[in-house]
């Protein structure tokens, strides 16, 4: 990696009239060294003085664009004095890479549905909660599966069911000092719709997953191309429309999958679905171009559309949300100072600023109170308390994403997470569902 | 005079009208040209869209083939299918790039082609990743896992051998459980690879853990390093087997995910765009056809409308021109005809117009006014003529009365004069000696004057008798008539008279003609001072219905100032002392005019004279029947 200009200037200043021609070199122990040499040393690397200005530990982070954002990387590097190498990719791609090549990353950031795969593959190691500085601040959602005692318990892999390492090495709900992931970013998802086409519904009362199968929007419905996510959207839609009833919507049987896809394939053949999307920008484009008017959607896509003046409502289905929990996992191959640095990075994530940063994209952090100081009152009240925005609110890109007076779709953090229908889950019928998913796509 | 302004002139209107017609013709041609251009453009668009449609169909077919190949590869994992899919992907990208160049940037196809290209490009990557996963899985399953399985078997066999030598039943039992668990794990792994299922995978892991757990629980003598090493080898082999198994499962899952989710999703998307592109091209072709049909219809309609408009405008122009030009001109023509017939028209049409027709109308108005004046003049002339006629009648009556008076006077006075002369003669005879010389001289003077008076009265009587005496028309040989006149002439002065008459025998009033010729010839003789050199020529010709006579002499001539006067009564122009009353030419003139002829004199003093007159073959003029008065 080439030195940036500031480093170059500072190096040059230290060396007086010397010319900066430094370059990064990764040290065998996982740290970077930055060396400045004078011009006489270029031709012969051994002849000139080598000044080690800084040694920084390199942490490779594998994940998705949701959390691997440049601003976060720069901020963390600045505050932690480490070097972060982000490798963002598609969810399936990074999961696969992580599960088969644990040496290719130090930290893995994705959804909780990755955990079982990674854990079974021994791709990740347990995290010692004693090294997590703010562990005690992590709220009940991750630890118990419910944000409040009265909250609805979502089906599927609630985070608490895969958090703790059990004595037998498996993951379970029994608390222990070792956890499979660092709880941090989480949210609830549903579907977004264009209110200029789809009549605006009443959150939790009339808005329903069944809308995804409403014949009025035939040809304009899109689904996320991820069976561990989109499949639940469709299952919730079928159940809400009364076409099917599932025993456990978080763990569908083969029979249920057969029945479900026989219905969905018919819908697909009838042209009900516009198609599937595989990334947030693709979901934005689908609605932006008018190809879809209702679709599975992630929170940033909704705010991206609104920031561009395209109306989009993030539905609050009366049947409940499909929730997901972000997981930050430590590679089984990471050791030594890199592991220490990785712990520092995990602690940094719960230190306040990152939580505030991702709050502006609509995500929640597991210890929200620490982020409150980094948010304005208006932001806190809008994003977490579900109150009308006291002012226009800017997103992380600097664009206005919330107009003054607007109330967050679904209301407060508590209300939203009290209405979880199902968690994103890798079911036992995962492989089978893949084949049926293919049939659905190919229909 | 008012002249039409440039703006209102007929010329300008005609120019405008002609210009409009030309403009309509041009417009019609332009519409036709434009229609043809549109049609040609449509044909070109259709040709282009046909070509694009063909290529789009090829792309669509390619996309479907790529889908089929990818799906076949997903089913079979055959390298041939993978290679075919890759080749098709490459061809598709080339075809899409080629197609994009032919499609305009603003064409909706471009956007969809971009979308499709992006999907197919990344599809290649996904295909590659899927293939890599499949290869990893195959390698793990067919090679590494088998080797590791053998390693586990070998390590288990070696440990078993040690246990047999140690005779450790409990350990042997645990090893047996471990072997069975490993066997179960292998069976589950095999089942997983035959038909992937998480349950089998978990059972495999559980079995392996059980196997490992049992092996760990085997208690060996502390000092038997070989046995410990064998045990450790088993544990390592099992761990490695598990690790490889997990990787193989993940590779399988990864392969399945790429194939069933990522690739299938991309296939469905690019097939969607491909179909959309095909449909869009189809719609564009239909739209082009519809546009062409519409252009044809529109061209026809415009053509018909333009023609109808041209005809309508031409008709309106013709009507307007007719109203503005021809009708007024027609009315003006009629007006001029009426004016030519002498009518006067109170109201001239179009006189208020400020153009050429207005000018003509105002000219007609002038004509009308002239006609009015002419009419008034004619009326006045007629009035004057009537007045003149009345005066002429009165004059004629007066002349007639005068003639009558002259006749009566001369006739009635002759007798007393004759008596007076007789008395004077008688007195002279009776008192010739008795009277003094003066008295005799006076008496003689009295006789002379009485004679003179008689002569005057005779001439006056002759003059007044002209036309009063009934005359008969008779056959007259003009030559003989002239000869008879010459016969009675006293040509004592030696004047030579020649006659040059070649006239036929005519029917006319003989006596007046004879008297005219007699008087003129007598005057020519009488006023010829040349003696023997005097020459008189009498000519006569027939010209149409008139006889033309001339009496030409080389006598003393008459000054032009007397030419009028010599034809008046008792007027004489000559200074010669020639006897005469001055009534001869007056009588001649009256005789000629009475029969309808005319007399002229051409003469100058000392140059002789030519008296020419015409005499109609048929008698005309007025011949008064004066039998009653002459006999009285």
């Amino acid at each position: 990696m080439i030195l940036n200009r500031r480093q170059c200037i500072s190096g040059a200043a230290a060396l007086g009239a010397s010319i900066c021609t430094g370059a990064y070199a990764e040290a065998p122990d996982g740290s970077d060294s930055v060396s400045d040499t004078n011009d006489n040393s270029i031709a012969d690397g051994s002849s000139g003085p080598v000044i080690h200005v800084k040694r920084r530990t390199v942490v490779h982070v594998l994940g998705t664009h949701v959390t691997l954002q440049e601003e976060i990387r720069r901020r963390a590097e600045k505050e932690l004095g480490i070097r972060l190498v982000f490798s963002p990719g598609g969810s399936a791609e990074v999961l696969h890479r992580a599960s088969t090549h644990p040496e290719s990353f130090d930290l893995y950031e994705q959804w909780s549905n990755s955990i079982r795969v990674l854990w079974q593959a021994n791709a990740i190691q347990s995290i010692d909660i004693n090294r997590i500085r703010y562990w005690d601040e992590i709220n009940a959602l991750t630890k118990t599966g419910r944000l409040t005692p009265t909250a609805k318990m979502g089906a599927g892999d609630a985070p608490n069911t895969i958090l703790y390492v059990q004595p037998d090495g498996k993951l379970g709900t029994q608390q222990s000092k070792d956890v499979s992931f660092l709880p941090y970013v989480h949210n609830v998802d549903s579907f977004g719709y264009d209110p200029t086409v789809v009549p605006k519904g009443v959150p939790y009362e009339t808005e329903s997953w069944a809308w995804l199968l409403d014949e009025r929007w035939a040809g304009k419905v899109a689904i996320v191309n991820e069976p561990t996510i989109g499949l639940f959207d469709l299952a919730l839609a079928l159940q809400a429309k009364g076409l099917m009833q599932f025993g456990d919507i978080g763990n569908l049987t083969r029979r249920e999958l057969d029945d479900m896809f026989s219905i969905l394939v018919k819908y697909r053949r009838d042209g009900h679905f516009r198609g599937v999307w595989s990334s947030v920008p693709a979901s934005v484009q689908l609605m932006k171009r008018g190809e879809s008017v209702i679709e599975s959607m992630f929170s940033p896509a909704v705010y991206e559309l609104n920031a561009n003046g395209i109306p989009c409502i993030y539905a609050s289905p009366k049947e409940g949300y499909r929730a997901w929990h972000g997981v930050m996992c430590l590679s089984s191959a990471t050791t030594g100072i890199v592991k220490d640095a990785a712990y520092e990075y995990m602690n940094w994530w719960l230190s306040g600023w990152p939580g505030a940063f991702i709050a502006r994209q609509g995500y929640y952090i597991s210890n929200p109170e620490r982020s409150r100081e980094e948010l304005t009152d208006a932001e806190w009240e809008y994003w977490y308390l579900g109150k009308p925005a006291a002012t226009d609110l800017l997103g992380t890109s600097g664009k206005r994403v919330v107009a003054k007076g607007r109330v967050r779709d679904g209301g407060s953090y508590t209300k939203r997470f009290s209405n979880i229908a199902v968690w994103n889950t890798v079911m036992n019928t995962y492989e089978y569902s893949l084949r049926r998913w293919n049939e659905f796509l190919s229909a | 005079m008012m002249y039409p302004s440039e703006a209102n002139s007929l010329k300008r209107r005609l120019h405008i009208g002609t210009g409009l017609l030309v403009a309509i013709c041009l417009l019609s041609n332009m519409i036709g040209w434009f229609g043809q251009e549109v049609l040609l453009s449509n044909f070109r668009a259709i040709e282009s869209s046909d070509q694009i449609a063909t290529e789009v169909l090829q792309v669509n077919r390619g996309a479907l083939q790529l889908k089929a190949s990818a799906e076949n590869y997903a089913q079979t994992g055959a390298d041939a299918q993978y290679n075919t899919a890759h080749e098709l992907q490459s061809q598709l990208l080339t075809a899409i790039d080629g197609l994009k160049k032919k499609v305009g940037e603003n064409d909706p196809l471009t956007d969809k082609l971009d979308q499709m290209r992006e999907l197919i490009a990344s599809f290649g990557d996904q295909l590659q990743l899927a293939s890599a996963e499949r290869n990893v899985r195959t390698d793990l399953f067919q090679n590494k896992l088998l080797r590791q399985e053998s390693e586990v078997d070998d390590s288990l066999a070696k440990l078993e051998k040690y246990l047999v030598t140690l005779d450790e039943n409990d350990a042997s039992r645990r090893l047996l459980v471990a072997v069975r668990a490993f066997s179960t794990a292998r069976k589950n792994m095999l089942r997983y690879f035959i038909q992937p299922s998480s349950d089998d995978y978990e059972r495999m892991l559980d079995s392996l853990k059980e196997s490992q757990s049992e092996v760990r629980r085997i208690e060996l003598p502390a000092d038997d390093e070989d046995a410990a090493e064998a045990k450790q080898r088993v544990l390592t082999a099992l761990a490695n087997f598990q690790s490889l198994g997990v990787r193989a499962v993940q590779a399988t899952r990864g392969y399945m995910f790429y194939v069933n989710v990522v690739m299938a999703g991309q296939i469905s998307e690019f097939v969607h765009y491909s179909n959309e592109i095909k449909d869009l091209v189809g719609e564009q072709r239909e739209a082009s056809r519809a546009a062409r049909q519409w252009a044809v219809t529109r061209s026809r309609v415009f053509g018909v409308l333009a023609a109808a408009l041209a005809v309508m405008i031409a008709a309106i122009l013709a009507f307007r021109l007719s109203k503005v030009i021809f009708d007024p001109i027609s009315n003006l023509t009629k007006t001029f005809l009426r004016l030519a017939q002498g009518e006067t028209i109170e109201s001239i049409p179009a006189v208020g117009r400020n153009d050429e027709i207005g000018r003509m109308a105002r000219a007609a108005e002038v004509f009308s006014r002239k006609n009015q004046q002419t009419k008034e003049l004619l009326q006045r002339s007629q009035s004057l003529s009537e007045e003149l006629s009345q005066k002429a009648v009165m004059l004629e009556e007066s002349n007639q009365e005068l003639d009558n008076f002259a006749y009566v006077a001369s006739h009635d006075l002759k007798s007393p004069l004759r008596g007076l002369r007789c008395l004077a003669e008688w007195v002279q005879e009776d008192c010739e000696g008795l009277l003094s010389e003066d008295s005799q001289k006076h008496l003689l003077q009295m006789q002379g004057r009485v004679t003179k008076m008689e002569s005057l009265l005779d001439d006056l009587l002759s003059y007044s008798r002209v036309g009063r005496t009934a005359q008969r028309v008779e056959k007259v040989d003009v030559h003989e008539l002239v000869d008879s006149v010459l016969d009675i002439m006293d040509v004592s002065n030696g004047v030579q008279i020649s006659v040059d008459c070649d006239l036929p025998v005519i029917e006319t009033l003989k006596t007046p003609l004879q008297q005219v010729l007699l008087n003129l010839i007598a005057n020519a003789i009488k006023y010829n001072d040349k003696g023997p050199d005097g020459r008189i020529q009498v000519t006569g010709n027939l010209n149409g219905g008139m006889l033309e006579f001339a009496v030409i002499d080389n006598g003393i001539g008459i000054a032009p100032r007397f030419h009028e006067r010599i034809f008046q009564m008792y007027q004489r122009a000559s200074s010669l002392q020639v006897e005469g009353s001055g009534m001869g030419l007056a009588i001649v003139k009256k005789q000629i005019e009475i029969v309808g002829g005319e007399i002229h004199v051409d003469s100058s003093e000392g140059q002789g004279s030519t008296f020419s007159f015409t005499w109609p073959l048929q008698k005309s003029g007025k011949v008064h029947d004066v039998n009653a008065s002459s006999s009285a």
Side-chain angles (χ1 to χ4, degrees), chain B residues 351-370:
Chain B
V351 76
R353 291 168 61 129
N354 193 22
D355 55 12
E356 288 85 345
I357 290 175
R359 291 172 64 189
M360 289 170 69
R362 285 189 287 280
E365 196 175 34
V366 171
F367 276 119
S368 180
R369 282 202 297 272
K370 292 290 182 191

Side-chain angles (χ1 to χ4, degrees), chain A residues 13-188:
Chain A
L15 290 170
S18 66
I19 298 173
C20 169
T21 55
Y24 266 118
E26 191 167 335
D29 61 357
S31 63
D32 280 353
S33 66
V34 180
S35 33
D36 287 353
T37 60
N38 64 24
D39 54 351
N40 295 324
S41 68
I42 297 172
D44 180 1
S46 61
S47 62
V50 175
I51 301 169
H52 292 275
V53 176
K54 192 176 183 181
R55 288 174 71 87
R56 295 195 301 177
T57 305
V58 179
V59 176
H60 292 91
V61 185
L62 184 62
T64 67
H65 290 92
V66 173
T67 52
L68 301 193
Q69 299 182 42
E70 184 60 16
E71 200 166 346
I72 290 174
R73 190 188 67 78
R74 286 202 304 268
R75 179 93 177 195
E77 281 189 343
K78 185 180 174 186
E79 294 189 358
L80 299 176
I82 61 172
R83 183 173 166 241
L84 290 166
V85 177
F86 280 2
S87 301
S91 57
E93 175 194 346
V94 297
L95 173 61
H96 176 68
R97 189 171 151 195
S99 62
T100 55
H101 300 286
E103 70 283 358
S104 66
F105 69 95
D106 299 311
L107 285 171
Y108 172 87
E109 298 185 36
Q110 236 219 79
W111 336 125
S112 56
N113 48 343
S114 307
I115 286 295
R116 285 190 193 281
V117 174
L118 296 175
W119 189 254
Q120 287 171 347
N122 290 327
I124 55 174
Q125 58 181 294
S126 60
I127 295 168
D128 185 357
I129 60 173
N130 294 324
R131 297 187 67 177
I132 302 301
R133 202 169 298 139
Y134 306 112
W135 179 259
D136 293 339
E137 294 176 5
I138 289 176
N139 63 25
L141 179 70
T142 318
K143 293 175 178 174
T144 67
R146 283 191 175 96
L147 187 59
T148 63
T150 57
K152 189 194 290 183
M153 189 73 183
D157 289 337
N160 63 312
T161 63
I162 51 175
L163 178 63
Y164 296 105
V165 179
Q166 304 300 295
D168 62 356
K170 292 186 175 180
L171 303 177
T173 56
Q174 185 183 337
Q175 295 194 0
S176 67
K177 76 173 189 66
D178 293 320
V179 292
S180 61
F181 62 90
L182 175 78
Y184 72 142
V185 182
H186 54 276
N187 203 354
V188 287

Side-chain angles (χ1 to χ4, degrees), chain A residues 92-93 96 99-101 117 120-122 168-170 225-227 254 268 274-276 286 289 291 427-428 430-432 434-435 437-438 441-442, chain B residues 67 71 111 115 133 192 195-199 201-202 205-206 242 246-247 250-251 253-254 256-262 264-265 268-269 272-273:
Chain A
E93 175 194 346
H96 176 68
S99 62
T100 55
H101 300 286
V117 174
Q120 287 171 347
N122 290 327
D168 62 356
K170 292 186 175 180
N225 187 26
E226 167 60 86
R254 286 191 172 209
R268 173 90 171 155
R274 152 60 190 85
V276 292
L286 277 172
R289 293 152 64 95
E291 292 186 42
M427 301 181 295
N428 289 338
Y430 173 69
E431 287 86 350
Y432 187 70
L434 292 180
R435 289 206 293 270
W437 187 260
N438 188 354
L441 294 181
S442 305
Chain B
K67 176 178 185 285
E71 286 171 351
D111 182 43
Q115 300 281 338
E133 288 307 307
Y192 183 88
Q195 188 169 5
S197 162
S198 294
D199 292 336
Y201 174 51
E202 287 190 3
L205 291 176
D206 290 344
Q242 180 181 345
V246 166
R247 288 187 64 186
Q250 289 309 315
R253 283 181 166 176
M256 289 182 72
F257 186 83
Y258 280 123
V259 167
N260 293 298
V261 180
V262 180
S268 74
E269 284 298 291
H272 167 81
Y273 281 114

Side-chain angles (χ1 to χ4, degrees), chain B residues 274 338 470:
Chain B
S274 179
R338 288 174 61 193

